[in-house]
Amino acid sequence: MGKRVALVLAGCGVFDGSEIHEASAALVHLSRGGAEVKIFAPNIEQRDVVNHLKGSPAEEKRNVLVESARLARGNIQDLAELKASEFDAVIFPGGFGVAKNLCSWAVDGKNCTVNEHVNSTLQAFHSAKKPIGLCCISPVLAAKVFPGCEVTVGQDKNVDGRFPDAETASAIADLGCKHICKNVNESHVDKANKIVTTCAFMCKAPLHEIFDGIGTMVEEVLKLA
């Protein structure tokens, strides 16, 4: 029987929701790994809405669950309904929606707060010793919730201009966690906490390299499940 995996989304679109390519890559690799996937998102209002064509704020309101349903092809549930006992693992794709809707990292950095249902989901899987997969900016959720854990968001220096958000690694260290430098096509496994992370679009890299990196994260999550 395939592993049962919950995928948690933060909206639809890189600037105010889940990064679509990351969510799709995770789903493709989970499908290839024979996993049974159910998709969840919090039923909350987005922090903001961004016009992705212009890159500017839009004067409208959107709901995270409703927007995430676009990516889930309508087959999605409220995150409040997720029961860790029904799954073998949980995965969080990245995108600014993670830092805006799932927590307040985009505004508050290391002093952020984490959405109550996101926090309880992470705590439930961790307490049950079930693996947690995170990519792009979403490893900051683990850094905030699990002090002392190990994660990667790529490199801690802007190597060749490929890691423009390298200062995130320092903020993770400030939270008492260990940042592990990895390339885009790699992932890091914190065996003690069963947390698997990969940098994805935190690195300016060709799409296939990001896809492959997410594949290593999914593969490691399924091994641990």
Side-chain angles (χ1 to χ4, degrees):
M1 178 180 287
K3 303 299 183 182
R4 301 163 299 169
V5 181
L7 187 82
V8 180
L9 298 179
C12 182
V14 59
F15 299 127
D16 58 13
S18 287
E19 211 297 318
I20 294 171
H21 297 293
E22 292 177 11
S24 178
L27 287 166
V28 169
H29 287 296
L30 285 166
S31 176
R32 183 170 287 144
E36 176 187 340
V37 181
K38 289 190 177 180
I39 305 176
F40 297 84
N43 186 11
I44 56 174
E45 186 177 301
Q46 289 184 188
R47 177 176 288 275
D48 62 13
V49 177
V50 176
N51 180 321
H52 279 58
L53 179 62
K54 297 179 179 179
S56 58
E59 295 299 322
E60 59 181 283
K61 297 183 184 299
R62 296 192 183 188
N63 177 280
V64 174
L65 179 59
V66 172
E67 291 302 296
S68 298
R70 295 173 179 270
L71 276 169
R73 297 173 60 87
N75 189 8
I76 194 168
Q77 294 174 259
D78 187 336
L79 182 59
E81 299 173 4
L82 193 162
K83 295 181 177 62
S85 60
E86 297 178 355
F87 295 91
D88 300 302
V90 64
I91 289 177
F92 290 76
F96 278 107
V98 172
K100 292 178 175 181
N101 304 325
L102 303 192
C103 70
S104 63
W105 187 276
V107 176
D108 302 318
K110 64 184 180 182
N111 298 315
C112 71
T113 56
V114 178
N115 170 274
E116 62 174 318
H117 296 303
V118 173
N119 184 71
S120 62
T121 294
L122 290 167
Q123 295 281 10
F125 278 85
H126 187 259
S127 296
K129 295 182 171 22
K130 294 180 178 181
I132 299 167
L134 308 116
C135 66
C136 194
I137 191 62
S138 64
V140 302
L141 295 172
K144 186 66 181 182
V145 176
F146 307 118
C149 72
E150 298 176 356
V151 299
T152 189
V153 289
Q155 299 292 323
D156 56 9
K157 294 181 178 61
N158 189 9
V159 182
D160 298 326
R162 282 161 52 90
F163 294 89
D165 301 305
E167 71 277 1
T168 305
S170 297
I172 286 169
D174 288 343
L175 286 169
C177 298
K178 185 174 183 180
H179 180 266
I180 309 297
C181 291
K182 291 286 183 176
N183 292 321
V184 66
N185 59 347
E186 300 176 313
S187 57
H188 176 69
V189 181
D190 177 347
K191 294 181 180 177
N193 291 293
K194 290 194 172 182
I195 295 171
V196 188
T197 51
T198 189
C199 69
F201 277 103
M202 294 293 277
C203 177
K204 290 186 174 181
L207 183 58
H208 71 277
E209 293 184 12
I210 292 163
F211 182 89
D212 290 345
I214 292 171
T216 68
M217 181 267 286
V218 170
E219 183 179 2
E220 293 296 341
V221 165
L222 293 178
K223 282 181 185 176
L224 290 171

